[in-house]
Amino acid sequence: MLIIPTYNEKDNVAPLVERVRRAAGNEPILFADDNSPDGTADEVRRLQERDPYLHLMVRPGKGGYGSACRQAMKKVLTENLDDHLIQFDADLSHAPEVLPRVLELLKQYDVVVGSRYIPGGGSANWALRRKMLSYGANLYARALTGIPAHDLTTGFVGYRAEILRRIDLDRIKSNGYAFLMEMKFNLHRCGARFAEVPIIFAEREAGVSKFNRQIMIEGVKFPVRAMLKRISRAD
Ligand SMILES: Nc1nc2c(ncn2[C@@H]2O[C@H](COP(=O)(O)OP(=O)(O)O)[C@@H](O)[C@H]2O)c(=O)[nH]1
Ligand SMILES: [Mg+2]
C-alpha cells in the first residue's frame, strides 16, 4: 500500500494516480490529507468513484508531514491492511515507474530506499548549489547516524509491515526531513535489512513546497542526537 501525505495537492493527485495505475496496477493508495484548503480531499473522493483501491484519511488540520505519515502507517498496521507500505510524495517528484522494482525488493529486504545518491540516481532540474547542499547534508547525516543507505532524506521508502511493528512509531517525534532519518535510524537499530534503488527526483511543477527553516534545523539536529545515542547505546 502506498502512503501519500497531502497538503494542497489538488492538481497533482489525478495525474499521480493515473501514473501509479499504469506502473503498478491496483496497488492500494492511502492519502493522508490535512484538510487541505484547496480541496485535495474532494478531488480524492471524486477519483474514488471509479477506483476502489483508493483510500482517504482526512485529519483536522495541518499537522505536519511526519505526523501524517505516522498516523497513516499506524492505520495500515493496526487494521492489517497490507504486508508492505511505501511512502511516497504527492507532487510527482517520485516516479511511480520505480514502484515495481521496490515491490520486488520488499520480498527480500525490510526497507527499500529510493536513493538519489547511488549510480543511476539524481535530481532533475535542481541548481548545482541545491544538489551540493542536499548531497552534503546526506554525507553528514550518514556519518553521524551510521544508517546503511546513501539517501537519508528521501521520502520514497518502502517498508515491510513486520519491520515497522518492531519500532514504536509513537516515539518518533520529528516531522520534516528528520522524520525520514529517524525512521531509518530506528529501523537500522532494530536490525532491518536495507536495499536501495536509484531514483531521479523531479522538482514539483504544481503547488508549493512546504519546506521551511524549522524543518531544516530539525534535520541538522537529528544526526547529532542519533550519534549521541550510538555512543551511549541508549534507546
Ligand atoms: N498531510 C500532510 N502532508 C504534507 C504536509 N506537509 C507536506 N505534506 C506533503 O508531503 C509531501 C512532501 O512535501 P513537499 O512540500 O513537496 O516537500 P519538499 O518535496 O521537501 O519540497 C507532499 O506530498 C506534501 O503534500 C502536512 O503538514 N500534512
Ligand atoms: Mg516535494
Side-chain angles (χ1 to χ4, degrees):
M1 175 169 286
L2 299 187
I3 286 184
I4 308 186
T6 52
Y7 195 74
N8 287 345
E9 301 286 6
K10 181 172 178 281
D11 295 335
N12 286 323
V13 286
L16 173 68
V17 170
E18 196 186 313
R19 270 177 70 184
V20 172
R21 291 289 164 256
R22 243 183 286 137
N26 288 332
E27 178 70 21
I29 303 176
L30 170 60
F31 285 99
D33 185 64
D34 278 3
N35 205 7
S36 300
D38 76 344
T40 302
D42 281 338
E43 178 68 358
V44 173
R45 288 187 192 102
R46 191 181 68 79
L47 299 171
Q48 277 179 318
E49 285 169 20
R50 50 192 162 82
D51 189 334
Y53 302 98
L54 288 187
H55 305 269
L56 173 65
M57 160 190 268
V58 182
R59 308 189 331 143
K62 188 159 169 36
Y65 168 82
S67 149
C69 290
R70 253 186 327 263
Q71 196 175 337
M73 285 173 181
K74 280 201 261 179
K75 180 180 166 70
V76 178
L77 297 177
T78 52
E79 296 176 23
N80 257 322
L81 300 180
D82 211 336
D83 62 0
H84 62 271
L85 290 76
I86 301 173
Q87 63 172 101
F88 203 82
D89 285 357
D91 56 0
L92 303 168
S93 287
H94 299 147
E97 294 68 29
V98 182
L99 287 168
R101 178 114 182 82
V102 174
L103 288 164
E104 192 56 37
L105 282 165
L106 281 172
K107 293 179 185 157
Q108 282 182 57
Y109 294 90
D110 300 313
V111 179
V112 178
V113 175
S115 189
R116 290 162 292 182
Y117 305 118
I118 57 174
S123 319
N125 52 36
W126 267 18
L128 183 63
R129 190 170 163 272
R130 182 148 178 219
K131 278 187 191 171
M132 285 172 66
L133 186 73
S134 172
Y135 184 74
N138 272 287
L139 275 183
Y140 157 79
R142 188 169 178 229
L144 267 60
T145 61
I147 301 167
H150 293 79
D151 195 341
L152 309 184
T153 51
T154 178
F156 186 176
V157 192
Y159 313 90
R160 279 198 206 191
E162 61 183 53
I163 201 78
L164 287 180
R165 291 203 168 89
R166 285 205 225 152
I167 60 171
D168 184 356
L169 288 171
D170 288 322
R171 286 186 62 183
I172 296 188
K173 299 284 183 222
S174 36
N175 242 333
Y177 292 135
F179 166 75
L180 297 164
M181 290 189 252
E182 196 171 354
M183 286 288 298
K184 294 176 187 79
F185 182 67
N186 288 11
L187 288 162
H188 169 54
R189 279 171 53 107
C190 77
R193 290 160 304 160
F194 279 68
E196 288 184 272
V197 289
I199 59 163
I200 305 283
F201 183 92
E203 195 45 85
R204 62 162 71 243
E205 283 173 13
V208 287
S209 166
K210 287 95 202 167
F211 180 77
N212 60 36
R213 202 183 164 80
Q214 195 218 327
I215 288 176
M216 198 172 87
I217 292 171
E218 200 188 49
V220 172
K221 282 183 179 165
F222 177 75
V224 177
R225 256 171 55 212
M227 188 189 64
L228 294 174
K229 266 192 194 173
R230 289 170 74 197
I231 293 169
S232 67
R233 296 184 180 275
D235 288 329

